[in-house]
């Protein structure tokens, strides 16, 4: 799903690929994103929240806590102001519990 959303955003020139940062726990998946979309690859999820204003969270619901581990403590170094979630069946309140308080969450 993340690939489809990213493809649409880039095809409609909503953002330039150079301003997009992608992180996937799979290095192979990250490399595929970079090759296909010519986007930047982040070393970890924390750096995504430090480098961007908006974050698209597209992880499997069962991987949410692992994917966002440690972000709640990143309050001072977080630039992100908005997290867009496409996680099926996961309430915004639960997603918000993993994030710094200044990050708004929308579905």
């Amino acid at each position: 799903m993340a690939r489809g959303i990213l493809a649409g955003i880039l095809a409609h020139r909503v953002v330039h690929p150079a301003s997009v940062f992608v992180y996937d726990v799979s290095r192979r998946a990250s490399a595929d994103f970079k090759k296909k979309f010519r986007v930047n690859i982040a070393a970890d999820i924390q750096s995504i929240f430090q480098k961007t204003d908006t974050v698209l969270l597209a992880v499997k619901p069962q991987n949410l806590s692992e994917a966002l581990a440690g972000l709640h403590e990143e309050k001072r170094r977080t630039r992100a102001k908005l997290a867009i979630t496409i996680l099926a069946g996961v309430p915004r309140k639960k997603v918000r519990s993993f994030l710094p308080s200044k990050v708004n969450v929308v579905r």
Side-chain angles (χ1 to χ4, degrees):
M1 192 128 179
R3 289 178 193 275
I5 292 170
L6 182 57
I9 288 171
L10 295 175
H12 288 90
R13 296 190 170 120
V14 175
V15 296
H16 190 275
S19 67
V20 175
F21 290 84
V22 172
Y23 171 73
D24 195 300
V25 294
S26 163
R27 289 184 185 195
R28 183 175 184 184
S30 291
D32 289 346
F33 270 102
K34 183 174 180 128
K35 183 178 180 182
K36 182 172 183 171
F37 299 111
R38 299 179 186 214
V39 296
N40 299 295
I41 302 303
D44 53 41
I45 192 72
Q46 287 84 357
S47 62
I48 294 276
F49 277 80
Q50 292 168 1
K51 295 177 181 180
T52 63
D53 294 321
T54 304
V55 176
L56 171 64
L57 296 174
V59 299
K60 294 178 182 173
Q62 64 268 27
N63 299 338
L64 177 65
S65 48
E66 178 187 351
L68 301 182
L71 278 176
H72 190 71
E73 289 78 33
E74 292 286 321
K75 293 176 186 173
R76 286 174 281 147
R77 297 187 300 169
T78 298
R79 176 177 164 185
K81 295 170 187 66
L82 177 65
I84 303 167
T85 173
I86 61 170
L87 281 80
V90 180
R92 285 182 325 134
K93 187 175 182 178
K94 182 171 183 177
V95 174
R96 176 168 280 170
S97 71
F98 291 99
L99 302 175
S101 58
K102 73 178 194 176
V103 179
N104 294 305
V105 178
V106 297
R107 290 180 76 60

